[in-house]
Amino acid sequence: MRVLLVGDSMTIGSAGEHTWRHRMWRHLERTCGSRGEAYEIVGPRDALYDKAAGAPVSQDYADPDFPVPARRHLAGWGEGWLHMAPLIAGAVREHRADTLLVFLGLIDLGFYTGSDATAGNVHRFLAGARSAEPGVRAVLLPVIPNVRARDDAFFAAECERFNELLAKSVAELSTPASPLLLASPPHDWDLARDTYDGTHPTARGEHRIAAAFADAMHQAWGIGGPYAPPSGE
């Protein structure tokens, strides 16, 4: 299994953070690696976003023992479905990814495209991934509304509509040869506890995002096991 994690600022993370990518790696090590089930995290990038530099140039992960190969991803600060759709075919082809974990949409709806156009970019993204690997499978996590959605009724409605369109797309486009899963977003996401700024995840939020992906893969495909944060985290 060659896993490519795709996302925006909530996935790339910033200097000094663990990121949910790290939490997913720990989970895969515990549930797959310890049993000899082969997996590899792949992708063209490995850095965190450095807010001071305004660029993805940091390797200052909160866990210095996070292996460099496991840091790989296709995520970018300010990048959404709009940006990743043209990149995914090349990334899947070059890194031979067969399993995609995708968390995108909030930045699109906030700054670039409405719900209908964003859903169109989901279709472009999946078509691109399948053009590179017809048997690719993917888990897609719906948008988790942020503080803007709490205060902006129109934006909240757009998030809800996009999530409906995403669910419809997953149902329509999934095939036995290239299955798609819609992960269940974390129940009762708490902006005060699960984010540090109303959008980006705290350690608790990172675990909850990783758990959404891990539990979907385990329940549908028998990969790994139920998500369990390490004691004390």
Side-chain angles (χ1 to χ4, degrees):
M1 179 173 67
R2 296 176 65 82
V3 186
L4 175 60
L5 284 65
V6 186
D8 54 25
S9 58
M10 295 176 73
T11 297
I12 187 174
S14 58
E17 297 177 3
H18 281 89
T19 75
W20 73 261
R21 297 183 287 106
H22 171 273
R23 314 299 186 181
M24 178 58 63
W25 162 72
R26 290 281 297 271
H27 169 75
L28 291 173
E29 278 292 285
R30 179 179 64 84
T31 61
C32 292
S34 64
R35 299 186 205 140
E37 298 175 8
Y39 83 91
E40 185 174 355
I41 295 176
V42 301
R45 308 174 182 175
D46 60 16
L48 293 158
Y49 186 77
D50 186 325
K51 293 178 181 178
V57 295
S58 176
Q59 291 292 333
D60 183 22
Y61 284 87
D63 179 2
D65 294 326
F66 189 13
V68 172
R71 298 177 181 184
R72 295 170 182 156
H73 61 80
L74 178 59
W77 201 272
E79 296 183 56
W81 290 106
L82 174 68
H83 308 84
M84 296 305 179
L87 302 180
I88 191 61
V92 168
R93 185 177 298 111
E94 180 180 354
H95 299 279
R96 297 181 290 114
D98 56 37
T99 303
L100 309 179
L101 306 184
V102 189
F103 184 26
L104 289 168
L106 190 65
I107 195 75
D108 297 87
L109 300 171
F111 295 95
Y112 304 119
T113 53
S115 54
D116 289 297
T118 304
N121 286 325
V122 173
H123 285 239
R124 289 177 57 217
F125 177 98
L126 293 171
R130 285 169 166 170
S131 73
E133 172 46 68
V136 71
R137 59 188 175 182
V139 185
L140 286 65
L141 182 63
V143 164
I144 300 175
N146 65 353
V147 65
R148 178 176 169 184
R150 184 190 66 190
D151 302 330
D152 182 337
F154 176 79
F155 183 65
E158 279 289 272
C159 291
E160 183 176 358
R161 173 164 168 72
F162 171 73
N163 283 345
E164 292 171 354
L165 294 172
L166 182 66
K168 182 179 179 181
S169 296
V170 168
E172 291 178 347
L173 299 177
S174 183
T175 69
S178 177
L180 306 177
L181 296 177
L182 186 70
S184 297
H187 179 63
D188 291 335
W189 183 261
D190 187 329
L191 295 178
R193 298 173 64 195
D194 295 321
T195 79
Y196 62 81
D197 61 358
T199 297
H200 300 95
T202 58
R204 182 177 187 266
E206 291 170 357
H207 281 300
R208 300 191 75 197
I209 294 169
F213 285 108
D215 290 345
M217 289 195 296
H218 175 61
Q219 292 165 11
W221 298 333
I223 294 173
Y227 188 84
S231 177
E233 292 192 17

